[in-house]
């Protein structure tokens, strides 16, 4: 009992130290933007920033659950592109069909990932790499490698264009609801505790009688569903299915998860910190756009990616210095 209490306390303290850095960096960057740019705190910039990054927050939360089990999902970007095309084709039937259709299409690919990983015991990297290629190919085939236009009279475009109660974009409201639900699942249900336990030690979890297979299926279906919803937002926001989008989104999601303090080896993670990680990386781009607008610098999208990578490295380095060497739960 004493050893277990000591382990929980150490994991709690370690987890907080890992996530403190991302919140401190996020607040510092927001203060920098507010002090340096006149319109940084405008309602338009805040709404546009959150609306665009809602897609990345979604896939990052789904990826967080997968990584907490010690797995990986490389298919999320392609799944989002595929489901954006599916939602665009379903949009003439209204949001009542296009929204669940896109989510179910993503969840179906997630179910396939779960089948490969759990039932066929294929390593997650290989399984999701295969579905990544399959989803991308499927999106290009059914769309003819062209964007699929959405009729502007369809109520489906309201999802990406209009605001809930005239205040926040619908995408932000829906993402907030999803985040709260998944936070409750992770922190206050046996399923969430099983997800964390698998990342700590899958063999020990099985010996404890936990339903490991069900939890692993759950995280891959969840990741696919989140990517599917991100694809729906992509289609409704741009007014078209985008089969060529989503390239590199999986890396952005992994980066957000890591910046949020989740261990790549699994067993430790947080929904709020993952959201903060996604916002932090998005904020870097937002500030670079403001700098371009001021004419003080002129950076192409390629150089922005380089700077984003350097920033990611610095944040992770600072986190490691603040928290010290962090042992994986597998090593405890």
């Amino acid at each position: 009992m004493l050893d277990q209490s000591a382990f929980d306390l150490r994991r709690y303290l370690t987890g907080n130290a890992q996530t403190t850095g991302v919140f401190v960096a996020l607040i510092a960057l927001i203060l920098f933007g507010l002090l340096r740019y006149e319109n940084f705190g405008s309602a338009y910039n805040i709404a546009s920033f959150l609306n665009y990054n809602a897609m990345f927050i979604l896939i990052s939360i789904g990826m967080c659950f997968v990584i907490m089990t010690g797995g990986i999902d490389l298919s999320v970007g392609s799944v989002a592109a595929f489901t954006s095309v599916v939602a665009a084709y379903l949009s003439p039937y209204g949001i009542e069909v296009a929204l669940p259709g896109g989510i179910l299409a993503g969840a179906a690919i997630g179910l396939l990932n779960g089948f490969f990983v759990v039932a066929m015991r294929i390593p997650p990297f290989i399984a999701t790499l295969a579905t990544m290629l399959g989803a991308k190919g499927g999106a290009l085939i059914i769309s003819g490698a062209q964007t699929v236009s959405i009729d502007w009279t369809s109520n489906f475009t309201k999802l990406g264009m209009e605001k809930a109660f005239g205040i926040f974009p619908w995408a932000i409201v829906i993402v907030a609801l999803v985040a709260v639900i998944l936070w409750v699942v992770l922190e206050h249900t046996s399923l969430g505790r099983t997800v964390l336990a698998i990342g700590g030690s899958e063999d020990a979890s099985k010996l404890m009688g936990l339903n490991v297979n069900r939890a692993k299926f759950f995280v891959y279906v969840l990741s696919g569903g989140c990517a599917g919803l991100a694809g729906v937002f992509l289609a409704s926001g741009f007014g078209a299915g985008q089969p060529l989008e989503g390239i590199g989104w999986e890396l952005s999601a992994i980066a957000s998860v890591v910046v949020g303090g989740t261990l790549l080896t699994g067993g430790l993670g947080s929904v709020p910190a993952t959201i903060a990680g996604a916002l932090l990386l998005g904020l870097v781009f937002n500030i670079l756009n403001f700098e371009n607008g001021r004419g003080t610098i002129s950076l192409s999208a390629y150089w922005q990616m380089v700077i984003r990578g350097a920033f990611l490295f610095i944040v992770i380095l600072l986190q490691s210095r603040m928290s010290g060497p962090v042992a994986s739960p597998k090593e405890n």
Side-chain angles (χ1 to χ4, degrees):
M1 179 63 73
L2 181 60
D3 291 342
Q4 182 63 40
S5 299
F7 169 78
D8 290 343
L9 178 60
R10 184 171 59 177
R11 193 178 71 173
Y12 174 80
L13 294 175
T14 301
N16 279 285
Q18 281 289 93
T19 57
T20 298
V22 64
F23 287 109
V24 170
L26 181 62
I27 293 171
L29 213 55
I30 291 173
L31 291 176
F32 172 80
L34 290 173
L35 294 174
R36 182 168 173 78
Y37 312 112
E38 182 180 355
N39 296 319
F40 185 81
S42 67
Y44 175 79
N45 184 56
I46 294 173
S48 299
F49 170 76
L50 292 176
N51 200 29
Y52 178 74
N53 284 281
M55 300 179 294
F56 300 103
I57 292 173
L58 271 175
I59 62 172
S60 297
I61 294 174
M63 182 71 77
C64 178
F65 274 77
V66 174
I67 290 179
M68 280 190 286
T69 65
I72 198 78
D73 187 353
L74 300 179
S75 68
V76 290
S78 296
V79 171
F82 177 76
T83 58
S84 77
V85 174
V86 171
Y89 277 124
L90 294 176
S91 62
Y93 302 99
I95 191 173
E96 301 84 358
V97 175
L99 175 61
I103 296 173
L104 289 175
I109 298 176
L111 185 65
L112 190 61
N113 282 332
F115 174 77
F116 287 152
V117 173
V118 177
M120 300 186 69
R121 299 187 181 281
I122 297 174
F125 182 90
I126 303 300
T128 58
L129 180 63
T131 51
M132 177 186 77
L133 296 174
K136 176 60 73 177
L140 294 172
I141 290 171
I142 63 176
S143 67
Q146 302 293 325
T147 58
V148 181
S149 299
I150 296 174
D151 187 348
W152 289 99
T153 61
S154 166
N155 66 359
F156 176 67
T157 56
K158 294 180 179 178
L159 189 64
M161 305 291 181
E162 296 189 0
K163 296 180 179 179
F165 313 112
I167 303 176
F168 293 107
W170 275 107
I172 297 173
V173 175
I174 294 173
V175 169
L177 288 174
V178 171
V180 169
I181 292 171
L182 293 180
W183 173 78
V184 171
V185 169
L186 180 63
E187 301 290 340
H188 299 286
T189 69
S190 59
L191 179 60
R193 288 188 287 273
T194 301
V195 168
L196 289 169
I198 293 173
S201 173
E202 184 169 336
D203 291 336
S205 300
K206 290 179 178 176
L207 291 174
M208 292 168 62
L210 299 178
N211 196 330
V212 172
N213 289 345
R214 184 189 66 170
K216 292 178 75 173
F217 258 113
F218 165 75
V219 298
Y220 284 102
V221 172
L222 173 66
S223 182
C226 287
L229 183 54
V232 171
F233 290 149
L234 176 66
S236 61
F238 286 86
Q242 305 284 343
L244 299 177
E245 282 290 333
I247 298 174
W249 284 21
E250 62 281 351
L251 299 180
S252 295
I254 294 170
S256 298
V257 172
V258 172
V259 168
T262 299
L263 296 176
L264 283 173
T265 50
L268 183 67
S270 161
V271 171
T274 297
I275 295 173
L279 291 175
L280 181 63
L281 295 179
L283 206 56
V284 174
F285 268 136
N286 191 239
I287 285 180
L288 287 174
N289 288 333
F290 269 94
E291 285 293 337
N292 275 326
R294 289 164 62 98
T296 52
I297 59 173
S298 180
L299 293 174
S300 67
Y302 308 125
W303 274 108
Q304 291 190 27
M305 292 178 65
V306 172
I307 292 175
R308 193 179 190 184
F311 182 79
L312 171 64
F313 175 79
I314 292 171
V315 169
I316 294 176
L317 186 65
L318 288 175
Q319 281 190 352
S320 65
R321 291 292 184 268
M322 291 175 63
S323 58
V326 179
S328 163
K330 292 177 180 177
E331 299 171 8
N332 291 309

